[in-house]
Amino acid sequence: MKYKPADKIQDLQYFGEFGGVNPSISDSSTYTFLSAKTMFDTFEGNAEGCYLYSRHSSPSNLYLGQALAAMESTETANVSASGMGAISTTLLQLCKSGDHVVSSRTIYGGTYALLKNFFPGLGISTSFVDITDLKQVEAAITKDTKVLYCESVSNPLLEVADLPELSKIAKKHNIPLVVDNTFSPLSITPTKLGTDIVIHSLTKFINGSSDTVGGVVCGTQDFIDSLRNVNDGAGMLLGPTMDSLRAASILKNMRTLHIRVQKHSENALYLAEKFEELGLKTVYPGLKSHPSHELFKSLMNETYGFGGMLTIDAGSKEKANELMELMQERNLGYLAVSLGFYKTLFSAPGSSTSSEISEEEQKEMGLTEGLIRFSIGLDNDIERTFEMMKKCMEETGVL
Ligand SMILES: Cc1ncc(COP(=O)(O)O)c(C=O)c1O
């Protein structure tokens, strides 16, 4: 039985303060107490249903967290001001000086830079591995390893992590498997495949409007309580707090997530098949030619497809740039980073979202100069889009 995350979101029921169909937005940074004793208990974490201060938690943030926990089938969740706010606080909660992380080498450039450049200054080291090579993953684990980290579908190479097998390795070594599921919301439910902690950049598909950044950590009550602890919680002390107004707007956008993901996936599959037919080197997990196509099928929840992300290789950096500029001119999308928007977004990861990764390392992991990453939009007539894209490819000599 596959998980049905959209049903879980649908089943949540909220009433606003005055019976509104949307929960009231908590527009306060601090909260009153009727007794000094309750304030003390709240500080100690013992007063159920009481709010203290909005960096700690707020009703609007808790509502959004509840919906995300339902989606990811975890006990609870903690929202944050950005995806990086969720990633950095989670890793800092789990790792202290002297500890070690085993991470996939194909991850979002910002996460890579955090692990590679920032964490060594705190005494935390990382081994980067080919996440599809399970032997290599296990061999990298040492007695100091505290986290096994990867993305379910990686940015930008769209490698698929074998979560059930990775979770076996993590369990054997008694470390948590932490998975960034930003590229595959609804399609993959990592906790159903053995993952302990799931992270999202809400900035992307989940919010879907490209109007804010946001993040979330979904996990056990114990772990989320530790993140929020007023004495030693990274989520509390480093302060990456989401604003209540934003939490309310993201929650509203989540209600259409299942419809959007289906359309993104449908359009991306159509284009990927057509691009491949034209002879372009196309990477999309929904294509039979994708090395992890069968694995993705075995992991995915039905209905939501293989996601909205695909890549093509335009042959060179110059050709990639020319093609992206022309596609933008013809109103086929925007030359912009990020993903999950209603319009198609395209960028060349080598010189943008993955530029933190050195050229040599990019080459080693198969991130070519001419690679274009597409976040396919919600285009109503994808056949028309394809015909126009094909024309752009012919005019720029990509085809
Ligand atoms: C897979 C993935 N994880 C995390 C992030 C970081 O999220 P944010 O930009 O919301 O901090 C990104 C951003 O591009 C991403 O693509």
Side-chain angles (χ1 to χ4, degrees):
M1 258 295 276
K2 292 294 170 98
Y3 193 59
K4 297 192 169 171
D7 293 9
K8 302 289 175 192
I9 298 170
Q10 173 81 27
D11 290 347
L12 293 168
Q13 189 183 41
Y14 305 95
F15 293 100
E17 195 180 353
F18 302 104
V21 293
N22 290 304
S24 304
I25 300 172
S26 51
D27 198 22
S28 295
S29 58
T30 191
Y31 301 82
T32 57
F33 290 87
L34 290 179
S35 82
K37 161 119 183 30
T38 321
M39 183 186 265
F40 174 77
D41 289 346
T42 306
F43 258 100
E44 296 286 294
N46 301 326
E48 183 79 13
C50 284
Y51 297 96
L52 178 70
Y53 183 60
S54 286
R55 175 156 45 79
H56 185 244
S57 71
S58 69
S60 297
N61 288 12
L62 289 187
Y63 282 133
L64 176 60
Q66 193 184 18
L68 290 157
M71 181 180 95
E72 289 300 5
S73 189
T74 56
E75 286 175 10
T76 189
N78 189 47
V79 298
S80 54
S82 69
M84 285 310 295
I87 293 166
S88 57
T89 50
T90 298
L91 293 174
L92 287 171
Q93 197 63 32
L94 295 169
C95 301
K96 307 293 170 214
S97 180
D99 290 343
H100 173 249
V101 177
V102 173
S103 169
S104 167
R105 60 182 185 176
T106 55
I107 49 175
Y108 166 59
T111 314
Y112 183 84
L114 179 77
L115 290 165
K116 172 123 179 162
N117 306 330
F118 195 88
F119 274 13
L122 304 175
I124 302 166
S125 60
T126 301
S127 298
F128 293 98
V129 295
D130 174 353
I131 203 72
T132 63
D133 181 346
L134 297 169
K135 281 206 183 85
Q136 201 188 112
V137 173
E138 184 155 20
I141 295 175
T142 72
K143 64 172 184 20
D144 296 322
T145 308
K146 292 292 182 316
V147 177
L148 178 53
Y149 184 90
C150 67
E151 294 173 2
S152 36
V153 179
S154 77
N155 181 3
L157 293 174
L158 309 179
E159 284 176 354
V160 182
D162 189 339
L163 299 180
E165 289 304 317
L166 290 167
S167 122
K168 277 186 208 157
I169 296 173
K171 284 194 172 52
K172 185 170 147 196
H173 294 271
N174 207 18
I175 52 173
L177 174 60
V178 179
V179 173
D180 178 340
N181 198 28
T182 301
F183 272 35
S184 45
L186 303 180
S187 299
I188 294 179
T189 307
T191 57
K192 294 293 177 194
L193 306 163
T195 300
D196 301 284
I197 296 169
V198 183
I199 292 176
H200 282 277
S201 165
L202 303 178
T203 317
K204 314 294 159 44
F205 290 102
I206 292 180
N207 184 53
S209 305
S210 292
D211 57 358
T212 187
V213 286
V216 70
V217 185
C218 306
T220 60
Q221 190 71 50
D222 268 1
F223 181 66
I224 300 300
D225 283 349
S226 76
L227 268 182
R228 285 202 195 117
N229 189 294
V230 293
N231 294 308
D232 59 6
M236 177 70 184
L237 300 175
L238 299 177
T241 312
M242 176 176 279
D243 182 72
S244 288
L245 295 173
R246 273 306 179 193
S249 75
I250 297 172
L251 180 62
K252 282 179 264 190
N253 287 350
M254 272 190 78
R255 297 169 185 159
T256 55
L257 180 62
H258 57 301
I259 302 168
R260 289 187 280 114
V261 167
Q262 285 170 33
K263 190 66 177 168
H264 283 300
S265 291
E266 183 190 311
N267 284 351
L269 180 63
Y270 180 88
L271 288 180
E273 283 175 344
K274 289 287 184 187
F275 290 162
E276 194 168 58
E277 268 171 42
L278 291 176
L280 286 168
K281 194 163 168 249
T282 310
V283 175
Y284 182 65
L287 291 176
K288 287 197 180 73
S289 59
H290 190 287
S292 302
H293 175 65
E294 288 305 321
L295 172 63
F296 197 122
K297 272 188 11 193
S298 75
L299 304 182
M300 73 199 286
N301 297 314
E302 284 147 28
T303 317
Y304 306 106
F306 296 89
M309 303 302 294
L310 65 88
T311 69
I312 61 165
D313 195 334
S316 69
K317 191 155 114 186
E318 292 69 31
K319 284 262 168 287
N321 290 343
E322 233 182 297
L323 175 60
M324 290 191 295
E325 283 167 9
L326 187 61
M327 286 193 297
Q328 176 162 260
E329 206 178 296
R330 302 269 162 92
N331 197 10
L332 287 164
Y334 294 116
L335 202 183
V337 298
S338 200
L339 37 136
F341 199 38
Y342 81 106
K343 284 256 199 189
T344 295
L345 303 178
F346 31 81
S347 56
S351 47
S352 60
T353 49
S354 296
S355 55
E356 295 89 343
I357 303 169
S358 73
E359 267 176 42
E360 203 173 290
E361 283 167 303
Q362 289 191 21
K363 244 188 222 133
E364 210 182 296
M365 60 176 70
L367 210 167
T368 53
E369 268 192 358
L371 195 82
I372 302 178
R373 186 188 77 176
F374 286 78
S375 163
I376 303 300
L378 301 172
D379 308 27
N380 183 52
D381 184 350
I382 198 66
E383 292 170 34
R384 179 181 77 142
T385 302
F386 168 68
E387 290 305 329
M388 288 169 72
M389 282 184 175
K390 186 174 151 200
K391 220 159 165 284
C392 293
M393 289 167 180
E394 285 164 352
E395 283 178 40
T396 51
V398 170
L399 280 178

